[in-house]
Amino acid sequence: MNRKTLALSAAFGLLVPVLAGCGGSDGGSGGGKAIVVGTTDQYIATKDGPAPLDPAFAYDTGTWNVLRQVVQTLVSVPRGGGKPIPDAATECGFTDRANESYRCTLREGLKFPGGDAITADDVKFSIQRALDMKGENGVGTLLSNIDTMESDGARKIVFHLKAPDATFPYKLTTPAAGILSAKDYPAKKVRTGFELSGSGPYTLKTEVKGDAVVKAVFTKNPDYKGNVKLQNDKVELRPFKTPDDMGKALYDGDIDMMTRAMSPQQVEALIEKPREDIQLTEMPGLEIRYLVFNTDTPLVKKKAVRQAMAYTIDRGQLVTKAYGAMAEPLYSLVPSSVATHTNPFFNKYGDGDLTKAAQLLEEAGITTPVKLTLDYTTDHYGSATGKEFETLRDQLNASKLFDVDIKGTEWSEFRPNGKKGEYTVYGMGWFPDFPDPDTYVGPFFDKPNFLNNPYDNVKIRTELLPESRKQADRSAASKTFGEMQNLVAEEVPMLPLWQGKQYVASRTEISGVEWAVNSSAELHLWELGQGT
């Protein structure tokens, strides 16, 4: 087995631009044979989520990794990171020093799959649609700072913002800002089912069994014009229920690569017992895991209970028992590899300080043990999630300050329950929407927020976040981000636990693997090729 460690910088917010390969869709290889990629992400239509592939509804990493292959955006983050560069556009930029007006000019010759030319009116329609529908999963928050849009009906569009926002170009790189056809997507309602169409690098055909996708086939789009250079003609994405099922398919030669989420045991096995036909690639990761407190519920409404949990949990032990080398402790919502990161939770609470936890609860007049249920999803964040919550339960119960049960629920039910406020304390994960520290703060503390959490920190929402977004030089916002991190540590509406590394296993004849998954866990299938 060949093992690669990708040393690309994962720190963003201070990145300089990196040149990306250009030239449209030329360069595909492999003929008609598809490269087959396995994933444990599931694509399921439910009563609460009838439109899993609609860009105005979808807001999770797994689904976005499907959308990015098919739906084109005005700008995109270049290979290796850096500032957004034009994709569907030929040029984009702020037209004022205040970062309140942003203008783009479309490429000539852009087409939807049916052959219709793409105009600035289509861009305006697509983004207005996302704003009007407000996305039940919270995806609309990414674009909610748009006040008005001007289109010349041909190739030029201008976005006028409600407030200055230097991160706006990054938000336009997300699938929420994908360019859609009014013929395929109704203006006021979601497009249900598993159809997806756009002007991106690939077209998509799904194979569905019941209410779930069992195969997604991406075929090179001959009409694509953008900055991506395809290294293949066809890729098949195949969902698996468990990492073990996915691993068996790789070892048997049924798939060429397995991506998120490999289990810690699989990674350890491939390191300790290498195979000549399998390559393991380690990559920087910006995934975080955290606990969410529903501050409307009586049990955790008192800050002292939330702070006592922060004192009690030992992140080092948690990571060692559940994830091993695949994770490291996290003491802020902003990961340690991001330039504005600080360690406020470590500075204030340390790890496993039971004396201070007991003193705090006693001073607040809270009777112990505090009886709680920790809820988590069984099938969305990887096979080690159960072990993680068993470890959290055992730590909290061993303190005698808490009496904790845990309960696992499938994601299709878990996510709607969380948004409805049916849980007191529950576990969530987060991958960045775009490469800027704002993505670890804005989605949680702006209004509306991704979690539909009742907690509202007025200072963060009305003062610090707007102030940070004024800074075109993101390093100048470090002090403001530090203050926001300190406020979160003081109030504990959320409790960060760990940040992860990424591992991808592939057959040795597959090339481009190190570029196919970036530090934000974005899947770039166009980078994969066959042969050296």
Side-chain angles (χ1 to χ4, degrees):
M1 177 196 72
N2 296 319
R3 184 183 177 196
K4 289 185 180 179
T5 300
L6 189 62
L8 296 177
S9 173
F12 54 63
L14 300 179
L15 290 179
V16 296
V18 178
L19 293 178
C22 300
S25 59
D26 293 337
S29 62
K33 182 182 177 183
I35 296 172
V36 185
V37 176
T39 178
T40 56
D41 289 319
Q42 304 295 310
Y43 313 102
I44 302 171
T46 66
K47 181 180 178 181
D48 290 306
L53 299 185
D54 190 320
F57 178 85
Y59 199 10
D60 67 89
T61 298
T63 306
W64 271 20
N65 279 337
V66 173
L67 301 185
R68 289 183 192 279
Q69 320 306 316
V70 179
V71 179
Q72 192 174 18
T73 49
L74 288 167
V75 288
S76 62
V77 176
R79 189 191 207 208
K83 295 180 180 180
I85 59 175
D87 190 358
T90 58
E91 58 180 356
C92 285
F94 283 106
T95 60
D96 63 331
R97 292 184 178 180
N99 296 330
E100 288 184 302
S101 292
Y102 193 76
R103 181 192 300 270
C104 290
T105 302
L106 288 175
R107 292 178 186 265
E108 293 183 353
L110 293 174
K111 296 179 183 179
F112 287 119
D116 291 341
I118 296 175
T119 70
D121 281 347
D122 294 306
V123 177
K124 183 177 180 180
F125 160 80
S126 304
I127 292 180
Q128 189 63 54
R129 176 178 182 267
L131 291 170
D132 290 344
M133 291 171 55
K134 302 186 185 299
E136 293 181 19
N137 283 324
V139 67
T141 60
L142 288 167
L143 304 173
S144 60
N145 192 32
I146 296 174
D147 187 15
T148 59
M149 292 178 281
E150 291 182 65
S151 163
D152 69 352
R155 295 176 55 211
K156 297 185 184 297
I157 186 166
V158 182
F159 302 93
H160 299 288
L161 308 182
K162 299 174 185 175
D165 186 3
T167 71
F168 183 69
Y170 289 108
K171 293 171 182 176
L172 288 181
T173 71
T174 67
I179 304 170
L180 308 173
S181 169
K183 289 184 178 180
D184 295 331
Y185 290 86
K188 301 293 185 181
K189 61 181 182 179
V190 294
R191 184 181 185 180
T192 59
F194 299 103
E195 291 186 290
L196 176 63
S197 54
S199 56
Y202 295 101
T203 60
L204 172 66
K205 184 176 181 180
T206 57
E207 184 177 315
V208 178
K209 185 176 181 179
D211 294 323
V213 172
V214 295
K215 183 188 296 185
V217 179
F218 300 93
T219 303
K220 179 179 174 180
N221 178 5
D223 294 323
Y224 169 69
K225 294 180 182 294
N227 64 53
V228 165
K229 185 176 182 179
L230 279 75
Q231 302 301 321
N232 59 70
D233 296 325
K234 186 180 292 185
V235 180
E236 176 186 316
L237 187 65
R238 192 180 299 175
F240 289 87
K241 288 291 186 182
T242 69
D244 288 342
D245 292 340
M246 180 170 61
K248 184 177 186 303
L250 181 70
Y251 298 154
D252 291 346
D254 294 332
I255 65 175
D256 299 301
M257 182 175 109
M258 59 177 178
T259 179
R260 64 181 302 262
M262 293 179 65
S263 70
Q265 293 78 17
Q266 286 175 321
V267 172
E268 183 178 346
L270 283 171
I271 292 173
E272 293 183 354
K273 296 181 179 180
R275 288 178 50 135
E276 289 299 323
D277 58 337
I278 303 294
Q279 172 179 283
L280 182 68
T281 304
E282 177 186 322
M283 304 173 182
L286 293 169
E287 171 189 12
I288 68 169
R289 297 286 178 86
Y290 55 94
L291 295 177
V292 182
F293 295 96
N294 181 350
T295 53
D296 270 357
T297 59
L299 284 173
V300 298
K301 194 168 188 176
K302 291 186 177 180
K303 181 171 66 174
V305 174
R306 309 193 300 267
Q307 291 178 324
M309 285 185 67
Y311 274 122
T312 303
I313 291 171
D314 184 334
R315 292 170 180 79
Q317 183 192 70
L318 174 67
V319 165
T320 299
K321 286 193 171 185
Y323 294 98
M326 292 186 71
E328 59 186 48
L330 179 63
Y331 300 95
S332 171
L333 288 178
V334 180
S336 60
S337 44
V338 174
T340 59
H341 165 83
T342 60
N343 280 312
F345 276 85
F346 182 80
N347 296 337
K348 185 172 179 62
Y349 304 105
D351 268 332
D353 193 333
L354 303 185
T355 301
K356 288 186 178 179
Q359 181 181 352
L360 180 66
L361 291 172
E362 182 179 359
E363 290 175 352
I366 295 169
T367 303
T368 58
V370 179
K371 189 173 179 61
L372 291 170
T373 296
L374 303 185
D375 285 274
Y376 67 96
T377 177
T378 58
D379 62 340
H380 192 67
Y381 294 122
S383 59
T385 307
K387 180 65 175 177
E388 174 186 353
F389 276 78
E390 290 171 5
T391 305
L392 286 171
R393 176 198 62 198
D394 294 345
Q395 286 185 359
L396 291 165
N397 288 345
S399 73
K400 308 299 183 183
L401 301 174
F402 295 90
D403 180 6
V404 171
D405 290 324
I406 59 175
K407 183 181 178 183
T409 306
E410 290 188 357
W411 179 255
S412 58
E413 182 180 348
F414 176 84
R415 176 68 174 128
N417 288 349
K419 290 188 295 179
K420 294 172 186 174
E422 295 184 8
Y423 300 138
T424 299
V425 188
Y426 62 102
M428 289 287 288
W430 184 254
F431 293 86
D433 294 330
F434 50 88
D436 189 276
D438 185 284
T439 192
Y440 291 98
V441 182
F444 305 120
F445 299 104
D446 228 340
K447 271 195 173 182
N449 65 69
F450 162 71
L451 297 167
N452 198 29
N453 198 332
Y455 176 82
D456 181 25
N457 190 303
V458 175
K459 184 169 185 178
I460 291 178
R461 177 170 55 83
T462 64
E463 296 180 28
L464 298 177
L465 261 177
E467 181 61 32
S468 72
R469 290 168 177 167
K470 292 178 182 178
Q471 304 294 338
D473 177 3
R474 303 307 286 153
S475 62
S478 294
K479 182 178 179 181
T480 308
F481 277 110
E483 189 173 352
M484 287 189 275
Q485 291 171 81
N486 288 336
L487 284 171
V488 173
E490 172 62 30
E491 294 290 319
V492 200
M494 302 159 67
L495 181 55
L497 299 172
W498 58 266
Q499 69 179 82
K501 297 178 184 178
Q502 295 184 105
Y503 289 88
V504 173
S506 60
R507 305 200 69 79
T508 52
E509 63 268 23
I510 299 301
S511 62
V513 173
E514 63 270 31
W515 295 106
V517 182
N518 67 12
S519 60
S520 300
E522 294 177 9
L523 192 57
H524 298 161
L525 295 178
W526 53 82
E527 297 284 2
L528 298 174
Q530 295 177 342
T532 303

